[in-house]
Amino acid sequence: MLKIIHLSKVFFKGSINENVVLRDINLYVPRSDFVTIVGSNGAGKTTLLNVISGVFTPERGSKIEIDGQDVLNLPEYKRARFIGRVFQNPLEGTSASLTIEENLAIAILKNKKRKLRLAITHKRREEFRSKLRILGLGLENRLQERVGSLSGGQRQALTILMATLAEPELLLLDEHTASLDPKTAQKIIRLTEEIVVRNRLTTLMVTHNMEEALKFGNRTIMMHEGRIILDVSGKERTKMSVNDLLDKFSEVKKEKLVEDEMLLI
Ligand SMILES: Nc1ncnc2c1ncn2[C@@H]1O[C@H](COP(=O)(O)OP(=O)(O)OP(=O)(O)O)[C@@H](O)[C@H]1O
Ligand SMILES: [Mg+2]
């Protein structure tokens, strides 16, 4: 489904600030896989998602295919038709000045399988209500309220619903619960899983929460300095504990320390 071959990304190439952020990443994600991605700050996780969705162009020789289609020649707005994204910031992904139902109508317009007009009919409203009811936040009774009046958690839940309404081929979540209080974060992550599993969405989810990383999805990837240094699924993953993941983190950090020390000698 998602195929990434020899993917590299360098910022400020050729300048004194050159920064190699993705180093020859190879990754194959079969349909309906739910992959969690961990890695320390600056590891390249967000950049990976940005390159997949077309925000940044990778280095020459990189290849990204979705459903067998080479997407690198497609601009971001075209890729948005089959990629759903949810960011860390609840303010992104929804329009504050529009109502809940207007936001949902826009999201549904992205669905290429359904030819719809923006008009909000009685039938459409009922459909929105039933979808919103799943969130369990009472938003089904607030269809005509502006999104700007919602709390961060409510808004993030709505964003997830919107991102999935278009039935994307690929769903990219970047620490989408990080700015929420623990209880709301729990709710949103469970909701995410429910929606992903119900729609069998192929998903990449970046998280700093190791427990979440192992508990949700069926595969976990760890990134470090632009490389994938761990890729576990199946039994190996089931047996893995949060401590094992943390050990892996300190292992690569130690290696880095030794490298740095050697440079100093
Ligand atoms: N638009 C940009 N221009 C220049 N450098 C960038 C840009 N975006 C990211 N970088 C650099 O790329 C590196 C990786 O950043 P990235 O945001 O992908 O990390 P991350 O793994 O998502 O980290 P975090 O866990 O902190 O979100 C960093 O060194 C960062 O400074
Ligand atoms: Mg990031």
Side-chain angles (χ1 to χ4, degrees), residues 21 27-28 46 51 73 81 111 139 142 156 192 209 217 221:
V21 177
L27 176 69
Y28 174 64
T46 298
V51 169
N73 49 7
R81 289 196 194 132
N111 189 333
L139 296 183
R142 301 172 66 179
Q156 202 64 331
T192 307
N209 183 324
I221 279 172

Side-chain angles (χ1 to χ4, degrees), residues 113-253:
K113 288 172 214 148
R114 302 168 63 172
K115 290 203 180 56
L116 294 167
R117 285 167 300 116
L118 194 55
I120 299 164
T121 55
H122 177 72
K123 196 169 150 240
R124 181 85 40 82
R125 215 163 252 153
E126 278 316 303
E127 185 189 342
F128 290 164
R129 273 205 189 98
S130 75
K131 298 256 184 208
L132 286 166
R133 211 164 281 131
I134 303 170
L135 303 181
L137 296 169
L139 296 183
E140 63 274 17
N141 304 318
R142 301 172 66 179
L143 279 181
Q144 273 137 28
E145 259 180 60
R146 283 191 205 291
V147 163
S149 68
L150 301 182
S151 78
Q154 291 168 337
R155 207 156 156 179
Q156 202 64 331
L158 181 66
T159 308
I160 293 169
L161 188 61
M162 284 172 61
T164 55
L165 266 183
E167 295 174 26
E169 303 289 324
L170 184 63
L171 180 63
L172 305 176
L173 309 167
D174 197 353
E175 297 186 55
H176 69 303
T177 61
S179 64
L180 307 174
D181 73 72
K183 221 173 142 195
T184 312
Q186 275 286 320
K187 218 173 182 175
I188 300 290
I189 188 87
R190 276 203 216 106
L191 187 76
T192 307
E193 191 191 34
E194 225 176 275
I195 293 181
V196 165
V197 171
R198 183 178 313 133
N199 299 299
R200 296 177 54 79
L201 296 174
T202 312
T203 304
L204 302 185
M205 180 179 88
V206 174
T207 175
H208 278 289
N209 183 324
M210 299 299 131
E211 233 176 86
E212 258 178 24
L214 291 174
K215 186 170 163 199
F216 297 100
N218 62 312
R219 179 175 171 191
T220 298
I221 279 172
M222 186 185 284
M223 287 184 68
H224 183 67
E225 295 183 346
R227 289 195 180 90
I228 292 175
I229 56 157
L230 181 82
D231 185 349
V232 284
S233 54
K235 271 203 189 114
E236 192 187 356
R237 181 173 183 264
T238 320
K239 278 193 288 183
M240 238 181 166
S241 66
V242 168
N243 273 336
D244 293 335
L245 263 192
L246 291 173
D247 283 350
K248 192 76 197 169
F249 260 120
S250 22
E251 215 176 276
V252 284
K253 288 231 168 91

